[in-house]
PDB file of all heavy atoms in Angstrom:
ATOM      1  N   ASN G  34      63.293 122.931 259.698  1.00  0.00           N
ATOM      2  CA  ASN G  34      62.053 122.538 260.405  1.00  0.00           C
ATOM      3  C   ASN G  34      61.221 121.609 259.485  1.00  0.00           C
ATOM      4  O   ASN G  34      61.347 121.695 258.266  1.00  0.00           O
ATOM      5  CB  ASN G  34      61.211 123.785 260.729  1.00  0.00           C
ATOM      6  CG  ASN G  34      62.038 124.794 261.528  1.00  0.00           C
ATOM      7  OD1 ASN G  34      62.674 124.483 262.515  1.00  0.00           O
ATOM      8  ND2 ASN G  34      62.019 126.073 261.105  1.00  0.00           N
ATOM      9  N   TYR G  36      57.180 120.119 258.817  1.00  0.00           N
ATOM     10  CA  TYR G  36      55.734 120.368 259.034  1.00  0.00           C
ATOM     11  C   TYR G  36      54.910 119.232 258.428  1.00  0.00           C
ATOM     12  O   TYR G  36      55.316 118.669 257.407  1.00  0.00           O
ATOM     13  CB  TYR G  36      55.311 121.705 258.437  1.00  0.00           C
ATOM     14  CG  TYR G  36      56.024 122.885 258.977  1.00  0.00           C
ATOM     15  CD1 TYR G  36      57.244 123.265 258.373  1.00  0.00           C
ATOM     16  CD2 TYR G  36      55.546 123.604 260.034  1.00  0.00           C
ATOM     17  CE1 TYR G  36      57.936 124.307 258.847  1.00  0.00           C
ATOM     18  CE2 TYR G  36      56.306 124.695 260.538  1.00  0.00           C
ATOM     19  CZ  TYR G  36      57.503 125.033 259.970  1.00  0.00           C
ATOM     20  OH  TYR G  36      58.172 126.114 260.503  1.00  0.00           O
ATOM     21  N   GLN G  38      51.035 118.486 256.906  1.00  0.00           N
ATOM     22  CA  GLN G  38      49.790 119.121 256.508  1.00  0.00           C
ATOM     23  C   GLN G  38      48.810 118.050 255.978  1.00  0.00           C
ATOM     24  O   GLN G  38      49.124 117.275 255.101  1.00  0.00           O
ATOM     25  CB  GLN G  38      50.030 120.213 255.423  1.00  0.00           C
ATOM     26  CG  GLN G  38      48.756 120.944 255.110  1.00  0.00           C
ATOM     27  CD  GLN G  38      48.966 122.042 254.035  1.00  0.00           C
ATOM     28  OE1 GLN G  38      49.748 121.897 253.124  1.00  0.00           O
ATOM     29  NE2 GLN G  38      48.215 123.170 254.105  1.00  0.00           N
ATOM     30  N   ALA G  43      45.567 123.673 258.124  1.00  0.00           N
ATOM     31  CA  ALA G  43      46.852 124.400 258.189  1.00  0.00           C
ATOM     32  C   ALA G  43      47.973 123.431 258.507  1.00  0.00           C
ATOM     33  O   ALA G  43      47.755 122.386 259.126  1.00  0.00           O
ATOM     34  CB  ALA G  43      46.744 125.427 259.288  1.00  0.00           C
ATOM     35  N   GLN G  55      58.620 118.884 268.493  1.00  0.00           N
ATOM     36  CA  GLN G  55      57.677 119.839 269.014  1.00  0.00           C
ATOM     37  C   GLN G  55      56.820 119.203 270.086  1.00  0.00           C
ATOM     38  O   GLN G  55      56.456 118.013 270.047  1.00  0.00           O
ATOM     39  CB  GLN G  55      56.795 120.389 267.902  1.00  0.00           C
ATOM     40  CG  GLN G  55      55.626 121.264 268.309  1.00  0.00           C
ATOM     41  CD  GLN G  55      56.002 122.669 268.736  1.00  0.00           C
ATOM     42  OE1 GLN G  55      57.117 122.865 269.258  1.00  0.00           O
ATOM     43  NE2 GLN G  55      55.150 123.653 268.590  1.00  0.00           N
ATOM     44  N   SER G  91      65.326 127.912 258.093  1.00  0.00           N
ATOM     45  CA  SER G  91      65.242 129.186 258.791  1.00  0.00           C
ATOM     46  C   SER G  91      66.646 129.739 259.029  1.00  0.00           C
ATOM     47  O   SER G  91      66.864 130.555 259.892  1.00  0.00           O
ATOM     48  CB  SER G  91      64.506 128.967 260.133  1.00  0.00           C
ATOM     49  OG  SER G  91      65.209 128.020 260.925  1.00  0.00           O
ATOM     50  N   THR G  94      68.283 134.831 257.540  1.00  0.00           N
ATOM     51  CA  THR G  94      67.553 135.702 258.451  1.00  0.00           C
ATOM     52  C   THR G  94      66.497 136.532 257.740  1.00  0.00           C
ATOM     53  O   THR G  94      65.598 137.046 258.347  1.00  0.00           O
ATOM     54  CB  THR G  94      68.509 136.622 259.223  1.00  0.00           C
ATOM     55  OG1 THR G  94      69.333 137.322 258.281  1.00  0.00           O
ATOM     56  CG2 THR G  94      69.395 135.780 260.137  1.00  0.00           C
ATOM     57  N   LEU G  95      66.657 136.657 256.419  1.00  0.00           N
ATOM     58  CA  LEU G  95      65.760 137.574 255.695  1.00  0.00           C
ATOM     59  C   LEU G  95      64.546 136.784 255.044  1.00  0.00           C
ATOM     60  O   LEU G  95      63.418 137.277 255.160  1.00  0.00           O
ATOM     61  CB  LEU G  95      66.518 138.286 254.608  1.00  0.00           C
ATOM     62  CG  LEU G  95      67.597 139.262 255.098  1.00  0.00           C
ATOM     63  CD1 LEU G  95      68.246 139.978 253.943  1.00  0.00           C
ATOM     64  CD2 LEU G  95      67.009 140.290 256.076  1.00  0.00           C
ATOM     65  N   TRP G  97      62.680 132.885 254.213  1.00  0.00           N
ATOM     66  CA  TRP G  97      62.593 131.448 254.473  1.00  0.00           C
ATOM     67  C   TRP G  97      62.038 130.762 253.244  1.00  0.00           C
ATOM     68  O   TRP G  97      61.298 131.341 252.489  1.00  0.00           O
ATOM     69  CB  TRP G  97      61.657 131.203 255.673  1.00  0.00           C
ATOM     70  CG  TRP G  97      62.287 131.558 256.975  1.00  0.00           C
ATOM     71  CD1 TRP G  97      63.530 132.090 257.173  1.00  0.00           C
ATOM     72  CD2 TRP G  97      61.682 131.483 258.282  1.00  0.00           C
ATOM     73  NE1 TRP G  97      63.689 132.262 258.517  1.00  0.00           N
ATOM     74  CE2 TRP G  97      62.576 131.913 259.230  1.00  0.00           C
ATOM     75  CE3 TRP G  97      60.435 131.006 258.703  1.00  0.00           C
ATOM     76  CZ2 TRP G  97      62.317 131.915 260.588  1.00  0.00           C
ATOM     77  CZ3 TRP G  97      60.171 131.027 260.070  1.00  0.00           C
ATOM     78  CH2 TRP G  97      61.114 131.481 261.020  1.00  0.00           C
TER      79      TRP G  97
ATOM     80  N   GLN M  39      49.536 129.411 249.956  1.00  0.00           N
ATOM     81  CA  GLN M  39      49.515 128.097 249.287  1.00  0.00           C
ATOM     82  C   GLN M  39      48.498 128.097 248.137  1.00  0.00           C
ATOM     83  O   GLN M  39      47.324 128.229 248.374  1.00  0.00           O
ATOM     84  CB  GLN M  39      49.162 126.972 250.279  1.00  0.00           C
ATOM     85  CG  GLN M  39      49.257 125.577 249.715  1.00  0.00           C
ATOM     86  CD  GLN M  39      49.072 124.513 250.816  1.00  0.00           C
ATOM     87  OE1 GLN M  39      48.307 124.660 251.765  1.00  0.00           O
ATOM     88  NE2 GLN M  39      49.847 123.408 250.691  1.00  0.00           N
ATOM     89  N   TRP M  47      56.543 130.919 251.703  1.00  0.00           N
ATOM     90  CA  TRP M  47      56.681 132.014 252.736  1.00  0.00           C
ATOM     91  C   TRP M  47      56.588 133.329 252.000  1.00  0.00           C
ATOM     92  O   TRP M  47      57.209 133.575 250.999  1.00  0.00           O
ATOM     93  CB  TRP M  47      58.031 131.848 253.421  1.00  0.00           C
ATOM     94  CG  TRP M  47      58.285 132.802 254.501  1.00  0.00           C
ATOM     95  CD1 TRP M  47      57.890 132.751 255.813  1.00  0.00           C
ATOM     96  CD2 TRP M  47      59.067 134.012 254.413  1.00  0.00           C
ATOM     97  NE1 TRP M  47      58.335 133.824 256.507  1.00  0.00           N
ATOM     98  CE2 TRP M  47      59.071 134.630 255.681  1.00  0.00           C
ATOM     99  CE3 TRP M  47      59.751 134.671 253.353  1.00  0.00           C
ATOM    100  CZ2 TRP M  47      59.735 135.807 255.955  1.00  0.00           C
ATOM    101  CZ3 TRP M  47      60.414 135.836 253.644  1.00  0.00           C
ATOM    102  CH2 TRP M  47      60.369 136.427 254.894  1.00  0.00           C
ATOM    103  N   ARG M  50      57.415 138.568 256.857  1.00  0.00           N
ATOM    104  CA  ARG M  50      57.312 138.614 258.294  1.00  0.00           C
ATOM    105  C   ARG M  50      57.365 140.047 258.815  1.00  0.00           C
ATOM    106  O   ARG M  50      57.904 140.951 258.159  1.00  0.00           O
ATOM    107  CB  ARG M  50      58.431 137.823 258.986  1.00  0.00           C
ATOM    108  CG  ARG M  50      59.797 138.482 258.980  1.00  0.00           C
ATOM    109  CD  ARG M  50      60.725 137.991 260.055  1.00  0.00           C
ATOM    110  NE  ARG M  50      60.957 136.583 259.895  1.00  0.00           N
ATOM    111  CZ  ARG M  50      61.830 136.063 259.068  1.00  0.00           C
ATOM    112  NH1 ARG M  50      62.576 136.862 258.277  1.00  0.00           N
ATOM    113  NH2 ARG M  50      62.017 134.789 258.945  1.00  0.00           N
ATOM    114  N   ASP M  61      60.391 141.748 256.414  1.00  0.00           N
ATOM    115  CA  ASP M  61      61.084 141.081 255.325  1.00  0.00           C
ATOM    116  C   ASP M  61      60.044 140.495 254.390  1.00  0.00           C
ATOM    117  O   ASP M  61      58.999 140.050 254.848  1.00  0.00           O
ATOM    118  CB  ASP M  61      62.001 139.976 255.800  1.00  0.00           C
ATOM    119  CG  ASP M  61      63.024 140.420 256.825  1.00  0.00           C
ATOM    120  OD1 ASP M  61      63.699 141.401 256.544  1.00  0.00           O
ATOM    121  OD2 ASP M  61      63.145 139.765 257.900  1.00  0.00           O
ATOM    122  N   GLU M 101      55.997 133.032 264.788  1.00  0.00           N
ATOM    123  CA  GLU M 101      57.383 132.470 264.730  1.00  0.00           C
ATOM    124  C   GLU M 101      57.877 132.349 266.136  1.00  0.00           C
ATOM    125  O   GLU M 101      57.850 133.302 266.885  1.00  0.00           O
ATOM    126  CB  GLU M 101      58.284 133.423 263.967  1.00  0.00           C
ATOM    127  CG  GLU M 101      58.082 133.433 262.510  1.00  0.00           C
ATOM    128  CD  GLU M 101      59.226 134.256 261.835  1.00  0.00           C
ATOM    129  OE1 GLU M 101      60.368 134.331 262.345  1.00  0.00           O
ATOM    130  OE2 GLU M 101      58.911 134.863 260.778  1.00  0.00           O
ATOM    131  N   SER M 104      62.665 130.184 265.758  1.00  0.00           N
ATOM    132  CA  SER M 104      62.974 130.138 264.341  1.00  0.00           C
ATOM    133  C   SER M 104      62.147 129.080 263.621  1.00  0.00           C
ATOM    134  O   SER M 104      62.683 128.425 262.668  1.00  0.00           O
ATOM    135  CB  SER M 104      64.487 129.909 264.089  1.00  0.00           C
ATOM    136  OG  SER M 104      65.225 130.998 264.618  1.00  0.00           O
ATOM    137  N   LEU M 106      57.772 128.082 262.504  1.00  0.00           N
ATOM    138  CA  LEU M 106      56.378 128.541 262.439  1.00  0.00           C
ATOM    139  C   LEU M 106      55.571 127.672 263.397  1.00  0.00           C
ATOM    140  O   LEU M 106      55.125 126.603 263.032  1.00  0.00           O
ATOM    141  CB  LEU M 106      55.895 128.484 260.994  1.00  0.00           C
ATOM    142  CG  LEU M 106      56.694 129.417 260.064  1.00  0.00           C
ATOM    143  CD1 LEU M 106      56.445 129.090 258.615  1.00  0.00           C
ATOM    144  CD2 LEU M 106      56.384 130.867 260.380  1.00  0.00           C
ATOM    145  N   ASP M 107      55.440 128.162 264.619  1.00  0.00           N
ATOM    146  CA  ASP M 107      54.968 127.368 265.762  1.00  0.00           C
ATOM    147  C   ASP M 107      53.436 127.205 265.787  1.00  0.00           C
ATOM    148  O   ASP M 107      52.922 126.130 265.967  1.00  0.00           O
ATOM    149  CB  ASP M 107      55.424 128.035 267.039  1.00  0.00           C
ATOM    150  CG  ASP M 107      55.220 127.101 268.208  1.00  0.00           C
ATOM    151  OD1 ASP M 107      54.042 127.026 268.683  1.00  0.00           O
ATOM    152  OD2 ASP M 107      56.213 126.547 268.706  1.00  0.00           O
ATOM    153  N   GLY M 110      47.196 129.994 261.816  1.00  0.00           N
ATOM    154  CA  GLY M 110      45.768 130.204 261.718  1.00  0.00           C
ATOM    155  C   GLY M 110      45.145 129.188 260.781  1.00  0.00           C
ATOM    156  O   GLY M 110      45.836 128.354 260.167  1.00  0.00           O
TER     157      GLY M 110
END
Side-chain angles (χ1 to χ4, degrees):
Chain G
N34 306 312
Y36 302 86
Q38 186 180 34
Q55 171 74 333
S91 58
T94 55
L95 295 182
W97 287 0
Chain M
Q39 185 171 38
W47 183 82
R50 75 159 59 81
D61 302 311
E101 286 188 32
S104 295
L106 298 166
D107 191 284

